[in-house]
Amino acid sequence: MSLVVMIGTSGAGKTTFAHRHFAATQILSSDAFRGMVADDANDQSATAAAFDALHYIAGQRLAAGRVTVIDATNVQRPARAQLVRLAREHDVLPVAIVLDVPESVCIARNEERPDRQFGAHVVSRQHRELRRSLKNLDREGFRRVHHLRTPAEISGAAFEVEP
Ligand code: ATP
């Protein structure tokens, strides 16, 4: 039983990856929750309310023993700490999946996306936060850290959910 925490900058492919490996109902996306609470998946002012709702639903799912995937950047330590705490409260294993994609690739992908017009500096900041985060993920409490660094590692990943 795991709480799977996706970690990666905008454009790294977290949503794409999550939907390739998990059922849509298992994935809690910060964008989707912003949409639910504020009618706009990009409304950053709705972030606190969106994560409140996301954590509540994640807690309900974990209490019921359901594998849950968090699709958010999670490049900041406090955001991850809340998720590790939630997993512990429900006695499940927090697992990190890091999509470590070059900054330039993420920026180029976002330039093609009509819904990601926030500028390259945002991805650059997230990339710096990600680099700082990498060496401490074990110590933060993640029981397994899957650090995927290349397109081949990302496209070749496979999951086995153990009963
Ligand atoms: P955000 O944090 O902004 O929501 P994200 O990390 O969830 O971004 P996705 O929405 O999955 O990223 O993907 C961003 C863009 O990159 C999409 O246009 C998607 O089609 C493309 N993409 C995702 N994964 C890959 C991949 N492995 N190879 C090429 N393009 C990809």
Side-chain angles (χ1 to χ4, degrees):
M1 244 315 285
S2 298
L3 175 63
V4 179
V5 177
M6 301 297 307
I7 302 175
T9 63
S10 174
K14 302 177 296 297
T15 302
T16 306
F17 185 94
H19 281 271
R20 186 179 309 143
H21 296 285
F22 297 94
T25 52
Q26 295 176 317
I27 303 167
L28 304 183
S29 141
S30 53
D31 283 349
F33 276 85
R34 278 195 200 90
M36 280 184 261
V37 300
D39 297 323
D40 178 358
N42 282 310
D43 183 347
Q44 299 303 310
S45 72
T47 294
F51 275 97
D52 256 15
L54 184 152
H55 291 149
Y56 179 76
I57 302 290
Q60 293 289 323
R61 289 185 56 85
L62 297 179
R66 301 186 192 284
V67 168
T68 300
V69 181
I70 307 299
D71 175 13
T73 54
N74 293 315
V75 292
Q76 294 180 334
R77 185 176 180 143
R80 295 190 298 270
Q82 284 184 296
L83 295 171
V84 169
R85 199 177 316 124
L86 191 65
R88 285 193 179 138
E89 278 167 17
H90 294 282
D91 213 17
V92 306
L93 301 181
V95 172
I97 300 177
V98 183
L99 300 189
D100 192 354
V101 175
E103 187 178 329
S104 57
V105 173
C106 297
I107 290 169
R109 284 181 188 165
N110 281 352
E111 278 170 2
E112 301 298 314
R113 301 168 74 191
D115 57 338
R116 287 294 183 277
Q117 298 303 317
F118 43 57
H121 67 283
V122 173
V123 174
S124 300
R125 174 176 47 73
Q126 293 173 348
H127 204 259
R128 285 194 298 278
E129 290 170 329
L130 175 67
R131 296 254 74 77
R132 276 201 297 275
S133 298
L134 282 171
K135 52 185 178 299
N136 289 321
L137 293 175
D138 291 325
R139 259 176 285 160
E140 287 179 20
F142 287 100
R143 292 293 294 272
R144 290 186 196 161
V145 176
H146 302 283
H147 184 183
L148 307 181
R149 297 172 176 83
T150 65
E153 282 181 338
I154 290 171
S155 65
F159 289 92
E160 212 171 289
V161 178
E162 295 164 10

